Amino acid sequence: MEIANIPFWDFFGVWVAALLTLFIFSFLYKDNPFYKFAEHLFVGISAGYFVGYYYYNVLLPNFWEPFYYQGRYEYLIAVILGITILFRLSRKQAWVSRFGFAFVIGCGAGINFIAYLQSNALAQIYGTITPLVSLVSGEGGILVDWKNTVFNLVAIIGVCSALTYFYFSKPHKGFLGGVARLGIWFLMISFGASFGYTVMARISLLIGRMHFLIFDWIETTINVINGNIAIGSTF
Amino acid sequence: MPKRKGGIPTLTSKAPTAGLLSVMVALFVFSLVPTVTWGQPAPRPPTNLQGEDFPLDDGRRIQLTWALSPDDREGGLVEEYILLRSTKEEGPYTELPYSIPLGSDSYVDSGEVDENGVTVVEEPRNNIKFYYKIIALGKGGVRSEECLIDGPVVATRQWFHPGRVNMLVASIVLSLLILFFIWQASLGKELYIRPLAGLEAVQEAIGRATEMGKPVLFIPGIMDMDDIQTIAGVTILGRVARMVAEYDADILVPCSRSLVMTIASEVVREAYLDAGRPDAFKPDNIRYLTDDQFGYVAGVDGIMLRERPAANFYLGTFYAESLILAETGASVGAIQIAGTAMPSQLPFFVAACDYTLIGEELFAASAYLSKEPKQLGSLVGQDWGKLIFLLFIIIGSIIAIFNQLNPDLISIKSWFEIQ
């Protein structure tokens, strides 16, 4: 029988990943040195990783390549604004950093204004405007499609009442209060559906991790011990 | 000549030169296979290559059309088309790596970026003349003659999109309403804002932290400062930090973005200054952890367990980490106030926190806490905008009933269609 082979560093990596997974899971019991070790390792490695990530995926393609290879000198403006933020390191000159911050926040707010107006306002209104009474052509002439009518009514009443809940400049009393309460009911029902949906997704993540621990780690290790899998010396 | 078991002739010492020569000849013949493809004829070229600026864009796309090769048919000689591009008519032309299948008589050249974000083909830049050629590729890589475009094509930027006039009108109406109410507020007109339950509890939460001698933890979400929810979260941070300074408590702000940390540090410093206690500001309490989502969560969970804050604020953009943070916060017994406009994460905050600012309440919170005329006016202006949108939905839905009977009737729904 041919014996399967696993490279040493792959096997080592599986063990490291499995132990770190267990260290993180140990948090479910209480804070402990194993969790602390995994936490600090995770935070430190990911912080360092992102330094490299930003260098290769932001600085090089978004500044250096257009600037150096295409002669697009306007990109220097972004670099200068970036450098102003470093003035935070000086107590006396810290005010210079406000130029960079102001640009980022101002652009973020301005660009998002249009994006949100399009996606959260106009597109929603477009989707919500449906016939209050849905009609279909039948043998006896024009008939009411009750099923679609109910769907449309639920959507229109739901959107209008939820929108009323987010009306801040009038007290929620009387008729307005009643409509706003209906709106919060619609919101809570949608939250419940969303909660269940997301919990299912999280369960699948847990299954994935358990699959790794049982098959990639425990089963492989047992097979190595029993001699069914040989540890190679290749990388 | 001796033969192997399979009957394949082998070279012998008797005729080494002749054998070697025959092998070389065979190799030479096989090396010609990809190019001559056993005499495969070249397909006839496509014709009438035309190009024009892609309409209503930012000047980075060119629309190309052509008449198909006469050999472009099922079972015909054409396999695909190849485009070549140059900034000079005489060349040199660069072959574009687009795969254009047979039967296609148009293509939009907009450059290409690989999965790592690296530019493979430079996009046609604004106001530069481009010349194109098209070739039909036959079986075995046989190429047709080239078809040159009739004159250069220039991609130009359009400053106005006629299909988005509705966006312009909505922006202007909303902006005018906001400006009007800001002006009203600045004149001293009292603008009412209804109480927000979550914010009524802010003072209670900070008071509790002070009494217990424990810190307040503020998480401004995991996105950067160009995110509108982070901006709202950091604005509220200023109000919370000022209250913390007045109560002589401590505030911890672990951040997942360096820019957020820098701005949060500035905001908290100013809050302490406003409260008249600049000496009590501790810069080390505003920390950067990591940009990684779950690395950040691990770090914040550790802080919660070790520092055991009495009040936790989660105000900003959150994703999958929301429940992990809120559950850990609940397990250490902190009073928790959350706020986000992420619909998928709100259920978790509603379930695990004491108070939750839902969606737009997050943006209203800052105005409610500060009572500044600009923020109050902005909020009331937005409310009027919502009222107008509400009326359009109701009137539009009523008119939509009659649109089913008479499609020529005015349709309010079409006013909100964005191209």
Side-chain angles (χ1 to χ4, degrees), chain A residues 27 31 35-36 39 43 46 54 70 88 98 101 112 126 129-130 133 135 165-169 172 202, chain B residues 122 164 192 194 226 262 266 270 290-291 295 298 305-306 320 358 361 383 386 389 397 404-405 413 418:
Chain A
F27 179 79
D31 193 22
Y35 175 75
K36 279 181 191 165
E39 173 204 327
V43 172
S46 58
Y54 285 132
Q70 298 163 17
R88 287 279 311 162
R98 293 188 173 197
F101 294 147
N112 281 321
Y126 180 79
I129 295 178
T130 46
V133 180
L135 305 173
Y165 173 76
F166 292 107
Y167 199 81
F168 298 106
S169 49
H172 283 184
R202 301 291 166 81
Chain B
E122 187 70 20
R164 293 192 170 199
Y192 173 83
R194 73 170 168 84
D226 57 350
T262 321
E266 181 82 6
E270 279 197 15
T290 167
D291 277 50
L305 285 178
R306 277 150 233 150
I358 300 168
E361 286 181 328
D383 270 2
K386 277 177 236 166
F389 290 152
S397 297
Q404 296 172 102
L405 302 170
K413 184 180 175 118
I418 299 161

CSV table of all heavy atoms in Angstrom, one decimal, chain A residues 27 31 35-36 39 43 46 54 70 88 98 101 112 126 129-130 133 135 165-169 172 202, chain B residues 122 164 192 194 226 262 266 270 290-291 295 298 305-306 320 358 361 383 386 389 397 404-405 413 418:
chain,number,residue,atom,x,y,z
A,27,PHE,N,-11.2,31.1,25.7
A,27,PHE,CA,-11.8,32.3,26.2
A,27,PHE,C,-13.3,32.0,26.7
A,27,PHE,O,-13.8,32.7,27.6
A,27,PHE,CB,-11.9,33.3,25.1
A,27,PHE,CG,-12.5,34.6,25.4
A,27,PHE,CD1,-11.8,35.6,26.1
A,27,PHE,CD2,-13.8,34.9,25.0
A,27,PHE,CE1,-12.4,36.8,26.4
A,27,PHE,CE2,-14.4,36.1,25.3
A,27,PHE,CZ,-13.7,37.1,26.0
A,31,ASP,N,-10.7,34.3,30.9
A,31,ASP,CA,-9.4,34.8,30.5
A,31,ASP,C,-8.3,34.0,31.1
A,31,ASP,O,-8.3,33.6,32.3
A,31,ASP,CB,-9.3,36.3,30.9
A,31,ASP,CG,-8.1,37.0,30.3
A,31,ASP,OD1,-7.7,36.5,29.2
A,31,ASP,OD2,-7.6,38.0,30.8
A,35,TYR,N,-5.1,32.2,26.1
A,35,TYR,CA,-5.9,33.2,25.3
A,35,TYR,C,-5.1,34.5,25.1
A,35,TYR,O,-5.0,35.0,24.0
A,35,TYR,CB,-7.2,33.5,26.0
A,35,TYR,CG,-8.0,34.6,25.2
A,35,TYR,CD1,-8.6,34.3,24.0
A,35,TYR,CD2,-8.0,35.9,25.7
A,35,TYR,CE1,-9.2,35.3,23.3
A,35,TYR,CE2,-8.6,36.9,25.0
A,35,TYR,CZ,-9.2,36.6,23.8
A,35,TYR,OH,-9.8,37.6,23.1
A,36,LYS,N,-4.4,34.9,26.2
A,36,LYS,CA,-3.6,36.1,26.1
A,36,LYS,C,-2.5,36.0,25.1
A,36,LYS,O,-2.2,36.9,24.3
A,36,LYS,CB,-3.0,36.4,27.5
A,36,LYS,CG,-3.9,37.1,28.5
A,36,LYS,CD,-3.2,37.4,29.8
A,36,LYS,CE,-4.2,37.9,30.8
A,36,LYS,NZ,-3.6,37.8,32.1
A,39,GLU,N,-4.1,36.0,21.6
A,39,GLU,CA,-4.6,37.4,21.4
A,39,GLU,C,-3.5,38.3,20.9
A,39,GLU,O,-3.6,39.0,19.9
A,39,GLU,CB,-5.3,37.9,22.6
A,39,GLU,CG,-5.8,39.3,22.5
A,39,GLU,CD,-5.9,40.0,23.9
A,39,GLU,OE1,-6.2,39.3,24.9
A,39,GLU,OE2,-5.6,41.2,24.0
A,43,VAL,N,-3.0,40.0,17.3
A,43,VAL,CA,-3.1,41.5,17.1
A,43,VAL,C,-1.7,41.9,16.5
A,43,VAL,O,-1.7,42.7,15.6
A,43,VAL,CB,-3.3,42.2,18.5
A,43,VAL,CG1,-3.1,43.7,18.4
A,43,VAL,CG2,-4.7,41.9,19.0
A,46,SER,N,-1.2,40.6,12.8
A,46,SER,CA,-2.1,41.3,11.8
A,46,SER,C,-1.8,42.7,11.7
A,46,SER,O,-1.9,43.3,10.6
A,46,SER,CB,-3.6,41.1,12.3
A,46,SER,OG,-3.8,41.6,13.5
A,54,TYR,N,-0.7,47.4,3.1
A,54,TYR,CA,-0.9,48.8,2.6
A,54,TYR,C,0.2,49.3,1.7
A,54,TYR,O,0.0,50.0,0.7
A,54,TYR,CB,-1.1,49.8,3.8
A,54,TYR,CG,-2.4,49.7,4.4
A,54,TYR,CD1,-2.5,49.6,5.8
A,54,TYR,CD2,-3.6,49.6,3.7
A,54,TYR,CE1,-3.7,49.5,6.4
A,54,TYR,CE2,-4.8,49.5,4.3
A,54,TYR,CZ,-4.9,49.4,5.7
A,54,TYR,OH,-6.1,49.3,6.3
A,70,GLN,N,4.1,56.7,-14.9
A,70,GLN,CA,3.2,57.5,-15.8
A,70,GLN,C,3.3,59.0,-15.7
A,70,GLN,O,2.6,59.7,-16.4
A,70,GLN,CB,1.7,57.1,-15.5
A,70,GLN,CG,1.5,55.6,-15.8
A,70,GLN,CD,0.2,55.1,-15.1
A,70,GLN,OE1,-0.7,55.9,-14.8
A,70,GLN,NE2,0.0,53.8,-15.0
A,88,ARG,N,1.2,65.3,13.6
A,88,ARG,CA,0.6,65.0,14.9
A,88,ARG,C,1.7,64.7,15.9
A,88,ARG,O,1.5,64.8,17.1
A,88,ARG,CB,-0.3,63.8,14.8
A,88,ARG,CG,-1.6,64.1,14.1
A,88,ARG,CD,-2.6,64.7,15.0
A,88,ARG,NE,-2.7,64.0,16.3
A,88,ARG,CZ,-3.2,64.5,17.4
A,88,ARG,NH1,-3.7,65.7,17.3
A,88,ARG,NH2,-3.3,63.8,18.5
A,98,ARG,N,-4.5,68.9,10.7
A,98,ARG,CA,-6.0,69.1,10.4
A,98,ARG,C,-6.3,69.2,9.0
A,98,ARG,O,-7.4,68.9,8.6
A,98,ARG,CB,-6.4,70.3,11.2
A,98,ARG,CG,-6.3,70.1,12.7
A,98,ARG,CD,-7.0,71.2,13.5
A,98,ARG,NE,-7.0,70.8,14.9
A,98,ARG,CZ,-7.8,71.4,15.8
A,98,ARG,NH1,-8.6,72.4,15.4
A,98,ARG,NH2,-7.8,71.0,17.0
A,101,PHE,N,-6.8,65.6,7.9
A,101,PHE,CA,-8.1,65.1,8.4
A,101,PHE,C,-9.3,65.7,7.8
A,101,PHE,O,-10.3,65.0,7.5
A,101,PHE,CB,-8.1,65.4,9.9
A,101,PHE,CG,-7.1,64.7,10.8
A,101,PHE,CD1,-6.5,65.3,11.9
A,101,PHE,CD2,-6.7,63.4,10.4
A,101,PHE,CE1,-5.6,64.6,12.6
A,101,PHE,CE2,-5.7,62.8,11.1
A,101,PHE,CZ,-5.2,63.4,12.2
A,112,ASN,N,-20.3,60.3,0.3
A,112,ASN,CA,-21.3,59.4,0.8
A,112,ASN,C,-22.7,60.1,0.7
A,112,ASN,O,-23.7,59.4,0.7
A,112,ASN,CB,-21.0,59.1,2.3
A,112,ASN,CG,-20.0,58.0,2.4
A,112,ASN,OD1,-20.0,57.1,1.6
A,112,ASN,ND2,-19.1,58.1,3.3
A,126,TYR,N,-38.1,54.3,-5.4
A,126,TYR,CA,-38.4,53.6,-6.7
A,126,TYR,C,-39.0,52.2,-6.4
A,126,TYR,O,-39.9,51.8,-7.0
A,126,TYR,CB,-37.2,53.6,-7.5
A,126,TYR,CG,-37.4,53.0,-8.9
A,126,TYR,CD1,-38.0,53.7,-9.9
A,126,TYR,CD2,-37.0,51.6,-9.1
A,126,TYR,CE1,-38.3,53.1,-11.2
A,126,TYR,CE2,-37.3,51.0,-10.4
A,126,TYR,CZ,-37.9,51.8,-11.4
A,126,TYR,OH,-38.1,51.2,-12.6
A,129,ILE,N,-42.6,52.3,-4.6
A,129,ILE,CA,-43.8,52.7,-5.3
A,129,ILE,C,-44.4,51.5,-6.1
A,129,ILE,O,-43.8,51.2,-7.2
A,129,ILE,CB,-43.5,54.0,-6.2
A,129,ILE,CG1,-43.2,55.1,-5.3
A,129,ILE,CG2,-44.8,54.3,-7.0
A,129,ILE,CD1,-42.8,56.4,-6.0
A,130,THR,N,-45.4,50.9,-5.6
A,130,THR,CA,-46.1,49.8,-6.3
A,130,THR,C,-47.6,50.1,-6.2
A,130,THR,O,-48.0,50.8,-5.3
A,130,THR,CB,-45.7,48.5,-5.7
A,130,THR,OG1,-45.9,48.6,-4.2
A,130,THR,CG2,-44.3,48.0,-6.0
A,133,VAL,N,-53.4,48.8,-5.3
A,133,VAL,CA,-54.3,47.7,-5.7
A,133,VAL,C,-53.7,47.1,-7.0
A,133,VAL,O,-53.7,47.8,-8.0
A,133,VAL,CB,-55.8,48.2,-5.9
A,133,VAL,CG1,-56.6,47.0,-6.3
A,133,VAL,CG2,-56.3,48.9,-4.6
A,135,LEU,N,-53.8,45.0,-10.3
A,135,LEU,CA,-54.9,44.6,-11.2
A,135,LEU,C,-54.3,43.6,-12.2
A,135,LEU,O,-53.1,43.7,-12.6
A,135,LEU,CB,-55.5,45.8,-11.9
A,135,LEU,CG,-56.0,46.9,-11.0
A,135,LEU,CD1,-56.5,48.1,-11.9
A,135,LEU,CD2,-57.2,46.4,-10.2
A,165,TYR,N,-41.0,56.4,12.1
A,165,TYR,CA,-40.3,56.2,13.4
A,165,TYR,C,-39.0,57.0,13.4
A,165,TYR,O,-38.6,57.5,14.4
A,165,TYR,CB,-39.9,54.7,13.5
A,165,TYR,CG,-39.0,54.4,14.7
A,165,TYR,CD1,-39.5,54.4,16.0
A,165,TYR,CD2,-37.6,54.2,14.5
A,165,TYR,CE1,-38.7,54.2,17.1
A,165,TYR,CE2,-36.8,54.0,15.6
A,165,TYR,CZ,-37.3,54.0,16.9
A,165,TYR,OH,-36.5,53.9,18.0
A,166,PHE,N,-38.4,57.2,12.2
A,166,PHE,CA,-37.2,58.0,12.1
A,166,PHE,C,-37.5,59.5,11.9
A,166,PHE,O,-36.6,60.2,11.4
A,166,PHE,CB,-36.3,57.5,11.0
A,166,PHE,CG,-35.7,56.1,11.4
A,166,PHE,CD1,-36.2,55.0,10.7
A,166,PHE,CD2,-34.8,55.9,12.4
A,166,PHE,CE1,-35.7,53.7,11.0
A,166,PHE,CE2,-34.3,54.7,12.7
A,166,PHE,CZ,-34.8,53.6,12.0
A,167,TYR,N,-38.7,59.9,12.2
A,167,TYR,CA,-39.0,61.4,12.2
A,167,TYR,C,-38.7,61.9,13.6
A,167,TYR,O,-39.3,61.5,14.5
A,167,TYR,CB,-40.5,61.5,11.8
A,167,TYR,CG,-40.8,62.9,11.3
A,167,TYR,CD1,-40.5,63.2,10.0
A,167,TYR,CD2,-41.3,63.9,12.1
A,167,TYR,CE1,-40.8,64.5,9.5
A,167,TYR,CE2,-41.6,65.1,11.6
A,167,TYR,CZ,-41.4,65.4,10.3
A,167,TYR,OH,-41.6,66.7,9.9
A,168,PHE,N,-37.7,62.8,13.7
A,168,PHE,CA,-37.2,63.2,15.0
A,168,PHE,C,-37.8,64.5,15.5
A,168,PHE,O,-37.7,64.8,16.7
A,168,PHE,CB,-35.7,63.3,14.9
A,168,PHE,CG,-35.0,62.0,14.6
A,168,PHE,CD1,-34.4,61.8,13.4
A,168,PHE,CD2,-34.9,61.0,15.6
A,168,PHE,CE1,-33.8,60.6,13.1
A,168,PHE,CE2,-34.3,59.8,15.2
A,168,PHE,CZ,-33.7,59.6,14.0
A,169,SER,N,-38.3,65.4,14.6
A,169,SER,CA,-38.6,66.7,15.0
A,169,SER,C,-40.1,66.9,15.5
A,169,SER,O,-40.5,68.0,15.6
A,169,SER,CB,-38.3,67.7,13.9
A,169,SER,OG,-38.8,67.3,12.7
A,172,HIS,N,-43.5,61.7,19.4
A,172,HIS,CA,-44.2,60.5,18.9
A,172,HIS,C,-45.4,60.3,19.8
A,172,HIS,O,-45.4,59.5,20.7
A,172,HIS,CB,-43.3,59.3,18.9
A,172,HIS,CG,-42.4,59.3,17.7
A,172,HIS,ND1,-41.5,58.3,17.4
A,172,HIS,CD2,-42.2,60.3,16.7
A,172,HIS,CE1,-40.8,58.6,16.3
A,172,HIS,NE2,-41.2,59.8,15.9
A,202,ARG,N,-23.3,31.9,11.1
A,202,ARG,CA,-22.2,31.7,12.1
A,202,ARG,C,-22.0,30.2,12.5
A,202,ARG,O,-20.9,29.8,12.7
A,202,ARG,CB,-22.5,32.5,13.3
A,202,ARG,CG,-22.7,34.0,13.1
A,202,ARG,CD,-21.4,34.6,12.7
A,202,ARG,NE,-21.6,35.9,12.2
A,202,ARG,CZ,-21.8,37.0,12.9
A,202,ARG,NH1,-21.8,36.9,14.2
A,202,ARG,NH2,-22.0,38.2,12.3
B,122,GLU,N,-3.8,49.4,-19.3
B,122,GLU,CA,-4.1,50.8,-18.9
B,122,GLU,C,-5.4,51.2,-19.6
B,122,GLU,O,-5.7,50.9,-20.7
B,122,GLU,CB,-2.9,51.7,-19.4
B,122,GLU,CG,-3.0,53.1,-18.9
B,122,GLU,CD,-2.7,53.2,-17.5
B,122,GLU,OE1,-2.1,52.3,-16.9
B,122,GLU,OE2,-3.1,54.2,-16.9
B,164,ARG,N,-29.6,61.5,-14.6
B,164,ARG,CA,-29.5,61.6,-13.2
B,164,ARG,C,-30.0,63.0,-12.7
B,164,ARG,O,-29.5,63.5,-11.7
B,164,ARG,CB,-28.1,61.4,-12.7
B,164,ARG,CG,-27.7,59.9,-12.9
B,164,ARG,CD,-26.4,59.6,-12.2
B,164,ARG,NE,-26.2,58.1,-12.2
B,164,ARG,CZ,-25.5,57.5,-11.4
B,164,ARG,NH1,-24.8,58.2,-10.5
B,164,ARG,NH2,-25.3,56.2,-11.5
B,192,TYR,N,-37.3,71.4,18.0
B,192,TYR,CA,-37.5,70.2,18.9
B,192,TYR,C,-36.9,68.9,18.3
B,192,TYR,O,-37.0,68.7,17.1
B,192,TYR,CB,-39.1,70.0,19.0
B,192,TYR,CG,-39.4,68.8,19.8
B,192,TYR,CD1,-39.5,68.8,21.2
B,192,TYR,CD2,-39.8,67.6,19.1
B,192,TYR,CE1,-39.8,67.6,21.9
B,192,TYR,CE2,-40.1,66.5,19.8
B,192,TYR,CZ,-40.1,66.5,21.2
B,192,TYR,OH,-40.5,65.3,21.8
B,194,ARG,N,-37.0,64.8,19.4
B,194,ARG,CA,-37.7,63.9,20.3
B,194,ARG,C,-36.6,63.1,21.1
B,194,ARG,O,-35.5,62.9,20.6
B,194,ARG,CB,-38.6,62.9,19.6
B,194,ARG,CG,-37.9,61.8,18.8
B,194,ARG,CD,-38.9,60.8,18.3
B,194,ARG,NE,-38.3,59.9,17.3
B,194,ARG,CZ,-37.6,58.8,17.6
B,194,ARG,NH1,-37.3,58.5,18.9
B,194,ARG,NH2,-37.1,58.1,16.7
B,226,ASP,N,-13.5,57.9,6.4
B,226,ASP,CA,-14.3,58.3,5.2
B,226,ASP,C,-15.7,57.6,5.3
B,226,ASP,O,-16.5,57.8,4.4
B,226,ASP,CB,-13.6,57.9,3.9
B,226,ASP,CG,-13.3,56.4,3.8
B,226,ASP,OD1,-13.4,55.7,4.8
B,226,ASP,OD2,-12.9,56.0,2.7
B,262,THR,N,-6.0,58.6,15.5
B,262,THR,CA,-5.4,60.0,15.6
B,262,THR,C,-6.5,61.0,15.8
B,262,THR,O,-6.4,61.9,16.6
B,262,THR,CB,-4.7,60.3,14.2
B,262,THR,OG1,-4.0,59.1,13.8
B,262,THR,CG2,-3.7,61.4,14.4
B,266,GLU,N,-7.5,63.4,19.1
B,266,GLU,CA,-7.7,64.8,19.0
B,266,GLU,C,-9.0,65.2,19.7
B,266,GLU,O,-9.1,66.2,20.4
B,266,GLU,CB,-7.6,65.2,17.6
B,266,GLU,CG,-7.8,66.7,17.3
B,266,GLU,CD,-6.5,67.5,17.4
B,266,GLU,OE1,-5.5,66.8,17.6
B,266,GLU,OE2,-6.6,68.7,17.3
B,270,GLU,N,-9.6,67.5,23.1
B,270,GLU,CA,-10.4,68.7,23.1
B,270,GLU,C,-11.5,68.7,24.1
B,270,GLU,O,-11.8,69.7,24.7
B,270,GLU,CB,-10.9,69.0,21.7
B,270,GLU,CG,-9.9,69.6,20.8
B,270,GLU,CD,-10.5,70.3,19.5
B,270,GLU,OE1,-11.7,70.5,19.5
B,270,GLU,OE2,-9.7,70.5,18.6
B,290,THR,N,-5.2,46.9,15.6
B,290,THR,CA,-4.9,46.3,14.3
B,290,THR,C,-6.0,46.6,13.3
B,290,THR,O,-7.2,46.7,13.7
B,290,THR,CB,-4.6,44.8,14.4
B,290,THR,OG1,-4.6,44.3,13.1
B,290,THR,CG2,-5.7,44.1,15.1
B,291,ASP,N,-5.7,46.6,12.0
B,291,ASP,CA,-6.7,46.8,11.0
B,291,ASP,C,-7.5,45.5,10.8
B,291,ASP,O,-8.6,45.6,10.3
B,291,ASP,CB,-6.1,47.2,9.7
B,291,ASP,CG,-5.8,48.6,9.6
B,291,ASP,OD1,-5.2,49.2,10.5
B,291,ASP,OD2,-6.2,49.3,8.6
B,295,GLY,N,-8.7,40.2,14.6
B,295,GLY,CA,-7.5,40.6,15.5
B,295,GLY,C,-8.0,41.7,16.4
B,295,GLY,O,-7.7,41.7,17.6
B,298,ALA,N,-10.3,40.3,19.1
B,298,ALA,CA,-9.6,39.6,20.1
B,298,ALA,C,-8.9,40.6,21.1
B,298,ALA,O,-9.0,40.4,22.3
B,298,ALA,CB,-8.5,38.7,19.5
B,305,LEU,N,-12.0,42.1,29.4
B,305,LEU,CA,-11.8,41.2,30.5
B,305,LEU,C,-10.8,41.7,31.6
B,305,LEU,O,-11.0,41.5,32.7
B,305,LEU,CB,-11.3,39.9,30.0
B,305,LEU,CG,-12.3,39.0,29.3
B,305,LEU,CD1,-11.7,37.8,28.7
B,305,LEU,CD2,-13.5,38.7,30.2
B,306,ARG,N,-9.8,42.5,31.1
B,306,ARG,CA,-8.8,42.9,32.1
B,306,ARG,C,-9.2,44.3,32.7
B,306,ARG,O,-8.9,44.5,33.9
B,306,ARG,CB,-7.4,43.0,31.4
B,306,ARG,CG,-6.8,41.7,31.3
B,306,ARG,CD,-5.9,41.5,30.1
B,306,ARG,NE,-6.2,40.3,29.4
B,306,ARG,CZ,-6.1,40.1,28.1
B,306,ARG,NH1,-5.6,41.0,27.4
B,306,ARG,NH2,-6.4,38.9,27.5
B,320,ALA,N,-19.3,41.5,11.4
B,320,ALA,CA,-19.5,40.2,12.1
B,320,ALA,C,-19.0,40.3,13.5
B,320,ALA,O,-19.4,39.4,14.3
B,320,ALA,CB,-18.8,39.1,11.4
B,358,ILE,N,-30.9,52.9,16.5
B,358,ILE,CA,-31.2,52.2,15.3
B,358,ILE,C,-31.0,53.1,14.1
B,358,ILE,O,-31.6,54.1,14.0
B,358,ILE,CB,-32.6,51.6,15.3
B,358,ILE,CG1,-32.8,50.6,16.4
B,358,ILE,CG2,-32.9,50.9,14.0
B,358,ILE,CD1,-34.2,50.2,16.7
B,361,GLU,N,-30.9,57.0,14.0
B,361,GLU,CA,-30.8,57.6,15.3
B,361,GLU,C,-29.3,57.8,15.7
B,361,GLU,O,-29.0,58.7,16.5
B,361,GLU,CB,-31.4,56.6,16.3
B,361,GLU,CG,-32.9,56.6,16.3
B,361,GLU,CD,-33.5,55.6,17.3
B,361,GLU,OE1,-32.9,54.6,17.6
B,361,GLU,OE2,-34.6,55.8,17.8
B,383,ASP,N,-35.6,65.7,8.2
B,383,ASP,CA,-37.0,65.3,8.5
B,383,ASP,C,-38.0,65.7,7.4
B,383,ASP,O,-38.9,65.0,7.0
B,383,ASP,CB,-37.4,65.8,9.9
B,383,ASP,CG,-37.0,64.8,11.0
B,383,ASP,OD1,-36.4,63.8,10.6
B,383,ASP,OD2,-37.3,65.1,12.2
B,386,LYS,N,-37.6,63.7,4.5
B,386,LYS,CA,-38.3,62.4,4.6
B,386,LYS,C,-39.8,62.5,4.4
B,386,LYS,O,-40.5,61.6,3.8
B,386,LYS,CB,-38.1,61.8,6.1
B,386,LYS,CG,-36.8,61.1,6.2
B,386,LYS,CD,-36.6,60.7,7.7
B,386,LYS,CE,-35.4,61.3,8.2
B,386,LYS,NZ,-35.2,61.2,9.6
B,389,PHE,N,-40.5,62.7,0.7
B,389,PHE,CA,-40.3,61.3,0.1
B,389,PHE,C,-41.5,60.4,0.5
B,389,PHE,O,-42.0,59.7,-0.4
B,389,PHE,CB,-39.0,60.6,0.6
B,389,PHE,CG,-37.8,61.3,0.1
B,389,PHE,CD1,-36.6,61.2,0.8
B,389,PHE,CD2,-37.8,61.9,-1.1
B,389,PHE,CE1,-35.4,61.8,0.3
B,389,PHE,CE2,-36.6,62.5,-1.6
B,389,PHE,CZ,-35.4,62.4,-0.9
B,397,SER,N,-47.9,55.5,-5.2
B,397,SER,CA,-48.6,54.2,-5.2
B,397,SER,C,-50.0,54.3,-5.6
B,397,SER,O,-50.6,53.3,-6.2
B,397,SER,CB,-48.5,53.6,-3.8
B,397,SER,OG,-47.1,53.4,-3.5
B,404,GLN,N,-51.7,51.1,-14.3
B,404,GLN,CA,-51.9,49.7,-14.8
B,404,GLN,C,-53.0,49.8,-15.9
B,404,GLN,O,-53.0,49.0,-16.8
B,404,GLN,CB,-52.4,48.8,-13.6
B,404,GLN,CG,-51.4,48.6,-12.6
B,404,GLN,CD,-52.0,47.9,-11.4
B,404,GLN,OE1,-51.7,46.7,-11.2
B,404,GLN,NE2,-52.7,48.5,-10.5
B,405,LEU,N,-54.0,50.7,-15.8
B,405,LEU,CA,-55.0,50.8,-16.7
B,405,LEU,C,-54.6,51.6,-17.9
B,405,LEU,O,-55.0,51.4,-19.1
B,405,LEU,CB,-56.3,51.4,-16.1
B,405,LEU,CG,-56.8,50.6,-14.9
B,405,LEU,CD1,-57.9,51.4,-14.1
B,405,LEU,CD2,-57.4,49.3,-15.3
B,413,LYS,N,-43.3,57.0,-10.2
B,413,LYS,CA,-42.2,56.0,-10.0
B,413,LYS,C,-41.0,56.3,-10.9
B,413,LYS,O,-39.9,56.2,-10.5
B,413,LYS,CB,-42.8,54.6,-10.2
B,413,LYS,CG,-41.8,53.5,-9.9
B,413,LYS,CD,-42.4,52.1,-10.2
B,413,LYS,CE,-41.4,51.0,-10.0
B,413,LYS,NZ,-41.7,50.1,-9.0
B,418,ILE,N,-33.0,55.7,-11.5
B,418,ILE,CA,-31.6,56.2,-11.7
B,418,ILE,C,-30.9,55.4,-12.8
B,418,ILE,O,-30.9,54.2,-12.7
B,418,ILE,CB,-30.9,56.2,-10.4
B,418,ILE,CG1,-31.6,57.0,-9.3
B,418,ILE,CG2,-29.4,56.7,-10.6
B,418,ILE,CD1,-31.2,56.7,-7.9
